[in-house]
């Protein structure tokens, strides 16, 4: 009985931790469809870009800024098959940011 209780507590703990660490996620595909990227946001809307690959996704880029006080999303615009512009457009046009990201 003690083993079952301990196992259930451990499982509940793992589920709580996985729920806390997961944030918003977006997927984008290159113009020809050969490259797929996944953008994951942490709890302060800082994005990290991953190239979808098997068996693990490859980290390509992460935002080094301090984070945001509200929920924000970056938009992608593909420049070529393996490069895209990643933009954050502030409504007041004060804090606009853009980054050129290469996916190899």
């Amino acid at each position: 009985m003690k083993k079952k209780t301990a196992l259930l507590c451990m499982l509940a703990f793992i589920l709580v931790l996985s729920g806390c660490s997961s944030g918003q996620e977006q997927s984008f595909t290159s113009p020809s469809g050969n490259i797929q990227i996944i953008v994951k946001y942490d709890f302060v809307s800082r994005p990290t870009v991953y190239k979808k690959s098997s068996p693990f996704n490859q980290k390509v880029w992460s935002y080094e800024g301090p984070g945001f006080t509200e929920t924000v999303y970056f938009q992608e615009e593909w420049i070529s098959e393996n490069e895209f512009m990643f933009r954050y457009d502030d409504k007041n046009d004060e804090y606009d940011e853009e980054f050129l990201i290469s996916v190899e």
Side-chain angles (χ1 to χ4, degrees):
M1 182 68 173
K2 288 183 181 183
K3 287 183 182 181
K4 273 188 177 179
T5 304
L7 184 60
L8 287 174
C9 287
M10 186 183 299
L11 181 60
F13 182 71
I14 291 170
L15 289 173
V16 167
L17 282 182
S18 66
C20 291
S21 65
S22 64
Q24 298 289 329
E25 185 174 305
Q26 294 177 300
S27 293
F28 301 103
T29 304
S30 65
S32 72
N34 292 330
I35 297 174
Q36 186 175 13
I37 60 167
I38 299 167
V39 181
K40 294 184 179 183
Y41 294 90
D42 67 8
F43 65 97
V44 289
S45 295
R46 284 183 302 233
T48 301
V49 177
Y50 298 88
K51 178 182 178 185
K52 188 171 183 173
S53 57
S54 195
F56 301 104
N57 296 330
Q58 173 188 355
K59 184 177 175 180
V60 175
W61 177 88
S62 64
Y63 183 77
E64 299 297 327
F68 301 87
T69 57
E70 70 279 353
T71 301
V72 302
Y73 295 99
F74 286 67
Q75 297 299 315
E76 109 302 341
E77 178 185 338
W78 290 89
I79 306 299
S80 66
E81 182 58 25
N82 61 348
E83 283 188 326
F84 63 95
M85 194 63 71
F86 202 47
R87 291 189 178 97
Y88 166 64
D89 185 12
D90 182 275
K91 291 179 183 177
N92 300 327
D93 288 334
E94 285 183 57
Y95 305 107
D96 293 349
E97 298 182 73
E98 64 180 24
F99 306 92
L100 180 64
I101 300 174
S102 294
V103 182
E104 299 297 326

